[in-house]
Amino acid sequence: MLIEANKVVSLHYRLSEAGHDVAEDSRGGAPVVYLHGHRGMLKGLEDALAGKKAGDTFTVTLPPEQAYGPRRANSVQRISIKHLINPGKKKIHYKPGMMVQVNTAEGPRNVVVVKAGLKTVDIDTNHPLAGKTLVFDIEVVDVRDATPEEIAHGHVHGESGHHH
Ligand code: ZN
């Protein structure tokens, strides 16, 4: 079965920044699962995955424009620590370089702490991978038809998917 719109795709990936060591490897856990054609995956990756099948392995290099966009200048903001997402309500010692999440109109967003104070942090609102050329080593693990419900919702249900 080939990957096209409304197929549920399971894959493993290794992500590295071009010229650097591997930064992320999904093989430590379950495969990543997404519904093809519903913007659940980086556009450049989806384009590369189209037409592939289970067992296929390939490498795709995405320039920033096809990945997380260019880095924007003047993107450092000072915000109150209470606006950082902290599900466990734990006491966290924020440090420069730490990745945190803030709530935005478009949902939670990963940002990087540039400077930490007692009650505020300076965050860089660029995506941590903005401005970077990314190399993905992909292994397609499984391709299946999505259920009508999954297509209607625009995401995968069941194991590794949404539970609701
Ligand atoms: Zn759903």
Side-chain angles (χ1 to χ4, degrees), residues 20-60:
H20 290 72
D21 291 339
V22 171
E24 282 178 35
D25 189 340
S26 69
R27 281 172 185 78
V32 172
V33 178
Y34 80 97
L35 177 60
H36 194 85
H38 290 259
R39 298 167 178 271
M41 180 62 71
L42 284 176
K43 174 81 169 63
L45 261 188
E46 256 200 6
D47 290 348
L49 280 155
K52 299 286 197 295
K53 60 184 186 306
D56 283 354
T57 57
F58 61 98
T59 299
V60 57

Side-chain angles (χ1 to χ4, degrees), residues 108-121:
R109 181 156 165 194
N110 292 327
V111 297
V112 176
V113 174
V114 180
K115 198 173 145 192
L118 225 47
K119 293 193 167 143
T120 62
V121 286

Side-chain angles (χ1 to χ4, degrees), residues 80-159:
S80 168
I81 281 176
K82 62 178 191 247
H83 291 137
L84 297 176
I85 297 173
N86 181 2
K89 303 280 176 219
K90 292 182 296 260
K91 182 137 186 66
I92 297 178
H93 185 55
Y94 292 101
K95 288 193 204 94
M98 193 181 269
M99 201 191 298
V100 294
Q101 284 196 315
V102 290
N103 275 314
T104 71
E106 295 90 48
R109 181 156 165 194
N110 292 327
V111 297
V112 176
V113 174
V114 180
K115 198 173 145 192
L118 225 47
K119 293 193 167 143
T120 62
V121 286
D122 291 357
I123 54 163
D124 186 338
T125 59
N126 277 305
H127 189 282
L129 295 173
K132 295 183 173 169
T133 295
L134 303 180
V135 180
F136 288 90
D137 284 312
I138 304 283
E139 178 193 350
V140 179
V141 176
D142 186 54
V143 183
R144 67 162 169 87
D145 288 316
T147 64
E149 193 186 43
E150 286 173 322
I151 293 168
H153 287 203
H155 55 232
V156 178
H157 290 164
E159 220 176 317

